[in-house]
Amino acid sequence: MWSVATEGQMIKTYLPMDYLDKLEAEAIHILREVAGQFERPALLFSGGKDSIALTRLAEKAFRPGKFPFPLVHIDTGHNFQEIIEFRDELATSLGEKLIVRKVEDTILTRGLHEPGGKYPSRNPLQTYTLLDVIEEFEFDACIGGARRDEEKARAKERIFSVRDDFGQWDPKRQRPELWNIYNGRIQKGENVRVFPISNWTELDVWNYIQRENIRLPDIYFAHERQCVVLPSGQLLGLSEHLNLDDTDEIVSRRVRFRTVGDSTCTAAVESDAASIDDIIQDLLLAKVSERGATRLDDNLSETGMEDRKRNGYF
Amino acid sequence: MDILRFITCGSVDDGKSTLIGRLLYDSDSVSLDVLAMLEKRRATTGGDVDLALLTDGLKAEREQGITIDVAHKYFTTPRRKFIITDAPGHVQYTRNMVTGASNADLAIVLVDARQGVVEQTRRHTLLASLLGIRHFVLAVNKLDLAGYDETVFQQIVADYQLIAEQLKLDHVVAIPLSALHGDNVVRRSKHIAWYGGPSLLEHLESVPVPAEANPYEPRFQVQYVIRPQTEELPDYRG
């Protein structure tokens, strides 16, 4: 009965939780649901800020126990070196199992074509490696750090997103997902992609990183870097994987990465933000979205993400 | 700062996606690259920028000009973080609307001023109330097409009042607006001078967020048992 409480008690209980507490509680609930409902889950770990935040949430969900899932990294071979080092250090300090599978190996075993062009992106090929690793370990649930605010196709996806035998997303087959009840029942061969921070925005993630004092790879903070100026005006960090010619303009700029994917398809943004506080200030003033500022692959077509998801992409 | 989760519902073509688009656009929550994408679309189709494209994220939705599944959008004002669920209006996609409504604190029920209260208005209001939503906004949209006429608005409010009474809805606020032109969405409209209440956003910023759960009849949900079984914690269960 609501009426049993005195006025004083009501006020105390109804003080709203801080909004980050609410987002955190939702994410922890989802992570524990995965642990409770699935036999062989995995946490897809990219080394980016979102998946690093996920590991902190997993600590909150499962310590003092171990994570009920390994960290899985799909290494495109085009990752930033700093990210790879950070990944290994983090896995060691967490004391959790890390599984790494390389896109390079998938290219060889499946006889795939190495992408060409000036900025060869192995990003689309990751899907094959991901599907292979899911099959190899028979993962029934893969947790990822995707957020609905990133992109309009992601904005449509459920938190428990069922994929068929081939990892494909079919928007027409999305299932009901009511309140905080998540349905993990699947057919053999199917798997579920789970997105605990679906309802977080880029700014929420940074606010959380600040509150929790989460350590990040240095490339998120302003530093001098040799960059190639793209026709769009975006800056791409110079790397051995690019096939540049004499026409390319190389400049040295003070930049940071707003999102971290392949070095060949993630652009840097000019910034002086050297601390988390600075970055939050930067974001409050930013006029361009995270993916718009940094992703070369989404700009290929209006349905870039939807098409890739339909093919099994994360 | 707290979070308000709300859903937009009502019949097909009552302008739900356009309303969300307008809310995002007028509160400066749309980034430049996304605006450029909209502009590109406008250039190929002609006419005004189609704000509904901000939420209709699936290829099939943009092709057919309808909303099929719920989309989630986010924006923040100095007062609040908002999580928006844009629900489809078609009867055959009602199940998707239910998924969206289950996590909303407030429902904006849109009514086309020219059509008045229709079957979907009733259905969505009933479902939203059944799923536990306590706060409703009756958004009488497209008032520009009804000459910003107060009697049109008052008639719809009276019709909806019957539904609200039947379902025992205690918190219903009616707002006359035009999502297409932005009247009373973020800013109060000079076209609707006879209305003295808040704009939609002003209302959303001030409506109390319902409590998370009933704290006096707690339910203890066991999701998973943590049993590390290490030397230091040989018999821990959490």
Side-chain angles (χ1 to χ4, degrees), chain B residues 56-237:
Chain B
D56 289 339
L58 299 175
K59 211 188 294 185
E61 294 179 323
R62 287 193 299 274
E63 279 164 10
Q64 299 171 42
I66 59 168
T67 307
I68 294 173
D69 210 333
V70 288
H72 301 84
K73 290 282 158 188
Y74 305 81
F75 76 108
T76 308
T77 68
R79 305 272 304 265
R80 254 182 194 161
K81 172 181 165 92
F82 293 99
I83 300 181
I84 314 176
T85 304
D86 183 28
H90 283 83
V91 182
Q92 65 264 44
Y93 303 125
T94 301
R95 63 197 171 103
N96 292 333
M97 175 268 175
V98 169
T99 285
S102 70
N103 279 316
D105 304 315
L106 176 147
I108 299 176
V109 182
L110 274 97
V111 172
D112 183 331
R114 297 165 306 172
Q115 309 290 330
V117 171
V118 297
E119 188 185 329
Q120 267 313 64
T121 321
R122 293 170 201 280
R123 182 179 285 118
H124 279 182
T125 305
L126 170 68
L127 288 171
S129 113
L130 190 68
L131 288 160
I133 296 178
R134 290 289 161 263
H135 289 273
F136 288 80
V137 173
L138 172 67
V140 180
N141 190 25
K142 306 195 186 183
L143 215 60
D144 53 312
L145 299 178
Y148 296 107
D149 186 351
E150 184 176 7
T151 53
V152 172
F153 175 68
Q154 291 301 352
Q155 183 57 50
I156 291 170
V157 171
D159 291 344
Y160 193 77
Q161 202 63 43
L162 298 175
I163 304 174
E165 276 165 24
Q166 220 174 13
L167 296 173
K168 300 189 170 60
L169 306 180
D170 297 327
H171 306 284
V172 184
V173 171
I175 301 176
L177 51 84
S178 163
L180 191 65
H181 300 296
D183 295 301
N184 282 345
V185 177
V186 169
R187 287 177 281 277
R188 296 190 193 186
S189 166
K190 58 177 190 295
H191 296 119
I192 314 179
W194 45 263
Y195 168 78
S199 72
L200 179 63
L201 183 63
E202 286 171 335
H203 178 62
L204 294 175
E205 283 187 317
S206 58
V207 67
V209 178
E212 278 295 286
N214 173 350
Y216 306 108
E217 296 174 332
R219 299 288 187 276
F220 188 68
Q221 203 173 10
V222 178
Q223 292 181 278
Y224 181 72
V225 181
I226 298 168
R227 297 179 62 179
Q229 292 181 306
T230 55
E231 293 218 347
E232 308 89 73
L233 300 165
D235 200 27
Y236 178 98
R237 286 164 178 77

Side-chain angles (χ1 to χ4, degrees), chain A residues 217-232:
Chain A
D218 293 335
I219 66 172
Y220 277 108
F221 303 98
H223 57 279
E224 284 293 323
R225 185 178 285 262
Q226 297 279 103
C227 298
V228 187
V229 184
L230 298 177
S232 59

Side-chain angles (χ1 to χ4, degrees), chain A residues 6-286:
Chain A
T6 68
E7 206 178 333
Q9 278 173 308
M10 295 284 280
I11 290 167
K12 197 170 170 205
T13 321
Y14 287 138
L15 273 180
M17 282 164 94
D18 178 72
Y19 91 104
L20 284 177
D21 288 337
K22 280 194 192 175
L23 293 175
E24 180 188 64
E26 181 178 82
I28 290 173
H29 176 87
I30 294 164
L31 286 170
R32 288 180 176 155
E33 277 303 296
V34 173
Q37 291 194 36
F38 294 94
E39 285 173 36
R40 287 171 303 278
L43 191 152
L44 298 184
F45 181 80
S46 70
K49 64 179 190 313
D50 298 314
S51 59
I52 293 169
L54 273 185
T55 61
R56 172 60 53 90
L57 290 162
E59 285 185 274
K60 294 205 180 198
F62 303 113
R63 292 291 184 243
K66 286 247 182 235
F67 292 179
F69 38 69
L71 309 178
V72 173
H73 183 232
I74 307 297
D75 185 350
T76 59
H78 288 177
N79 290 99
F80 294 95
Q81 193 49 41
E82 297 94 322
I83 295 290
I84 300 296
E85 286 162 16
F86 189 92
R87 172 198 77 189
D88 294 341
E89 277 172 41
L90 186 70
T92 311
S93 70
L94 287 169
E96 299 293 343
K97 185 175 174 189
L98 172 70
I99 296 170
V100 178
R101 287 294 177 273
K102 293 181 189 300
V103 171
E104 211 147 288
D105 296 335
T106 314
I107 293 175
L108 290 175
T109 53
R110 285 197 181 219
L112 301 174
H113 279 286
E114 183 75 67
K118 285 175 83 164
Y119 321 109
S121 170
R122 282 178 171 170
N123 204 44
L125 300 182
Q126 286 186 89
T127 301
Y128 297 104
T129 315
L130 175 61
L131 297 178
D132 287 349
V133 75
I134 288 172
E135 199 173 302
E136 180 184 350
F137 292 93
E138 295 180 35
F139 291 132
D140 47 5
C142 295
I143 304 161
R147 310 186 320 266
R148 285 169 173 162
D149 81 322
E150 281 179 83
E151 205 278 334
K152 55 187 181 298
R154 289 216 194 278
K156 290 270 165 183
E157 201 165 5
R158 301 276 189 267
I159 288 174
F160 271 37
S161 176
V162 180
R163 303 299 180 91
D164 69 8
D165 266 345
F166 307 100
Q168 292 171 330
W169 181 54
D170 181 356
K172 292 218 168 69
R173 281 188 62 220
Q174 295 218 93
R175 312 202 291 202
E177 188 165 86
L178 272 75
W179 302 290
N180 62 349
I181 299 168
Y182 300 99
N183 178 3
R185 295 176 80 173
I186 48 173
Q187 305 286 331
K188 200 168 164 47
E190 289 180 332
N191 65 80
V192 176
R193 308 287 167 88
V194 179
F195 306 112
I197 59 168
S198 283
N199 286 324
W200 300 39
T201 61
E202 184 185 15
L203 185 60
D204 298 334
V205 172
W206 281 105
N207 281 331
Y208 189 69
I209 286 168
Q210 182 190 46
R211 190 183 87 169
E212 297 290 316
N213 207 3
I214 297 173
R215 203 168 72 81
L216 291 181
D218 293 335
I219 66 172
Y220 277 108
F221 303 98
H223 57 279
E224 284 293 323
R225 185 178 285 262
Q226 297 279 103
C227 298
V228 187
V229 184
L230 298 177
S232 59
Q234 288 172 307
L235 297 169
L236 201 56
L238 197 58
S239 89
E240 54 186 356
H241 307 298
L242 303 177
N243 299 315
L244 301 178
D245 54 46
D246 299 341
T247 61
D248 289 295
E249 186 191 346
I250 314 274
V251 292
S252 180
R253 290 284 162 77
R254 194 160 170 77
V255 296
R256 67 179 180 87
F257 287 89
R258 205 168 148 186
T259 172
V260 170
D262 265 12
S263 57
T264 54
C265 74
T266 333
V269 290
E270 283 194 77
S271 169
D272 282 322
S275 68
I276 294 174
D277 286 339
D278 295 344
I279 290 174
I280 290 173
Q281 278 311 310
D282 247 21
L283 281 181
L284 290 172
L285 300 172

